[in-house]
Amino acid sequence: MNRVVQIRQTGGPEQLQLADVAVGDPGPGQVRIRHRAVGLNFIDCYHRSGLYPLPLPAVLGAEGAGVVEAVGDGVTHLKPGDRVAYAHNEPGSYCQVRVMSARPVCKLPDAIDFETGAAMMLKGMTAQYLLKKTLPVEGLQPGDHVLFHAAAGGVGLIACQWARALGLQLIATAGSDEKCALALANGAAHAINYRTQDFVAAVKDITGGRGVKVVYDSVGKDTWEGSLNCLRPFGLMASFGNASGPVPPFSPGVLGAKGSLYVTRQTLFTHLRSREATQAMADDLFAVVASGQVKIHVAQRYPLEDVQQAHRDLEARKTTGCTILTL
């Protein structure tokens, strides 16, 4: 039998329940993986709460790492015994064993352990597409300032390090002095405690009044207006999450008045639309981690049985870096 965490109805962390279910053999194009560790992400909370609806009952979880047990017909890039890791837009990683599409599954280099692999795929490839693909119309050059909200979280700490490797001046925001110090220790050029500072005024001061070319924002409602006010003319507002709630409707005319701004709402899984694109992004992530330029901070570990507490801590913003469930 296979131990899983599932929800039968949406709601709070108390809806996360352990169950034992059978797992079968992989069909064509599928693979069966025995997990060694599973990543925890804020999107899991959106699925649990119903903000991003799923057919119920549902097993949550978007990333994991483990060993291939079996492959189905047509799978050529994997074989039984391979060490693998993945991020997938079809939830289901909160379990010991799962059968899933082989398309998003990538071989995990021997130099990267399972916990790191489970923690880094969704967050690391998110940082990759933001810094490498989600770019302002004028591009990004070494020395340019970018603003990154929630910079002490899993995506943020990876982005701080990767931005430094690219020569960018990343301005981090976080909700405590300790989290700001963590962002600075991981490569942020500046850090702003948004609970004690006006981040718009601080960004303008740091940039000599010019503003930044791009804002990377996973917070949503609480930072939206301020983020727009941090951008220079033709700047890009790159929204990729709603940790504080969805952004309310706004008039496009606001973008013109604030400097002919651009707005995009990005999702990782649009970037992972093909096997080739997934592998290329994973290879870029594996390379920067193996080089030591980016270190993956697994700061919290919870047994699968403690998943309710893991969700409570994540939503209370008590976590830093990456969080995993252990099996």
Side-chain angles (χ1 to χ4, degrees), residues 26 108 131-132 135 160-161 187 195 203 208 211 218-219 222 224 252 261 286 297 304:
L108 188 63
L131 295 174
K132 296 288 192 74
L135 303 176
C160 287
Q161 298 173 76
R195 296 189 189 280
V203 166
S218 63
V219 176
D222 290 354
W224 179 260
L261 304 179
F286 293 153
H297 298 281
L304 192 66

Side-chain angles (χ1 to χ4, degrees), residues 1-319:
M1 296 298 287
N2 174 32
R3 177 61 58 94
V4 306
V5 174
Q6 62 181 201
I7 57 169
R8 295 190 173 276
Q9 62 185 46
T10 56
E14 70 280 358
Q15 299 300 334
L16 297 162
Q17 299 294 324
L18 289 167
D20 290 314
V21 300
V23 61
D25 294 324
Q30 292 186 321
V31 62
R32 188 173 72 229
I33 298 172
R34 181 166 294 275
H35 288 131
R36 297 293 180 83
V38 172
L40 190 76
N41 294 281
F42 218 96
I43 193 173
D44 304 346
C45 300
Y46 299 157
H47 286 144
R48 190 207 70 233
S49 69
L51 179 63
Y52 294 175
L54 294 174
L56 300 176
V59 177
L60 303 186
E63 67 181 342
V67 177
V68 174
E69 288 192 335
V71 300
D73 291 343
V75 177
T76 59
H77 70 288
L78 299 170
K79 64 183 185 302
D82 282 345
R83 303 171 71 256
V84 295
Y86 67 86
H88 193 22
N89 64 336
E90 295 180 8
S93 68
Y94 284 14
C95 64
Q96 293 172 318
V97 184
R98 77 178 292 193
V99 171
M100 61 180 288
S101 167
R103 180 185 54 77
V105 181
C106 299
K107 287 185 182 179
L108 188 63
D110 290 341
I112 300 175
D113 62 52
F114 287 117
E115 288 194 354
T116 301
M120 78 179 192
M121 295 298 285
L122 188 145
K123 291 174 278 290
M125 289 194 290
T126 297
Q128 196 274 352
Y129 84 69
L130 291 173
L131 295 174
K132 296 288 192 74
K133 298 182 178 183
T134 311
L135 303 176
V137 66
E138 297 176 338
L140 287 176
Q141 289 79 39
D144 282 343
H145 289 96
V146 304
L147 178 62
F148 206 103
H149 290 302
V155 176
L157 290 183
I158 294 171
C160 287
Q161 298 173 76
W162 212 329
R164 177 175 57 186
L166 294 170
L168 302 174
Q169 299 288 301
L170 186 144
I171 303 170
T173 72
S176 70
D177 289 343
E178 293 77 13
K179 288 185 175 182
C180 285
L182 187 59
L184 290 169
N186 281 272
H190 306 273
I192 301 165
N193 182 341
Y194 64 80
R195 296 189 189 280
T196 59
Q197 294 176 269
D198 177 342
F199 75 82
V200 178
V203 166
K204 291 297 178 68
D205 184 56
I206 291 167
T207 62
R210 294 186 300 275
V212 297
K213 282 187 175 181
V214 59
V215 177
Y216 297 113
D217 189 343
S218 63
V219 176
K221 176 174 63 69
D222 290 354
T223 51
W224 179 260
E225 185 69 23
S227 293
L228 294 180
N229 292 333
C230 288
L231 288 165
R232 65 173 62 184
F234 308 110
L236 173 65
M237 174 63 187
S239 171
F240 67 103
N242 315 287
S244 66
V247 174
F250 67 96
S251 169
V254 169
L255 304 177
K258 291 183 181 295
S260 300
L261 304 179
Y262 293 77
V263 171
T264 182
R265 177 57 167 92
Q266 295 282 308
T267 67
L268 171 63
F269 297 111
T270 307
H271 292 274
L272 301 182
R273 63 194 179 279
S274 71
R275 169 83 213 125
E276 294 74 20
T278 301
Q279 192 64 57
M281 290 176 67
D283 287 346
D284 197 15
L285 174 62
F286 293 153
V288 78
V289 171
S291 74
Q293 291 178 300
V294 170
K295 298 184 186 305
I296 307 299
H297 298 281
V298 182
Q300 295 83 212
R301 295 170 175 82
Y302 299 84
L304 192 66
E305 293 76 12
D306 290 345
V307 64
Q308 290 187 6
Q309 188 60 47
H311 272 234
R312 292 188 190 98
D313 291 348
L314 190 64
E315 289 185 304
R317 301 187 184 182
K318 293 181 178 179
T319 64

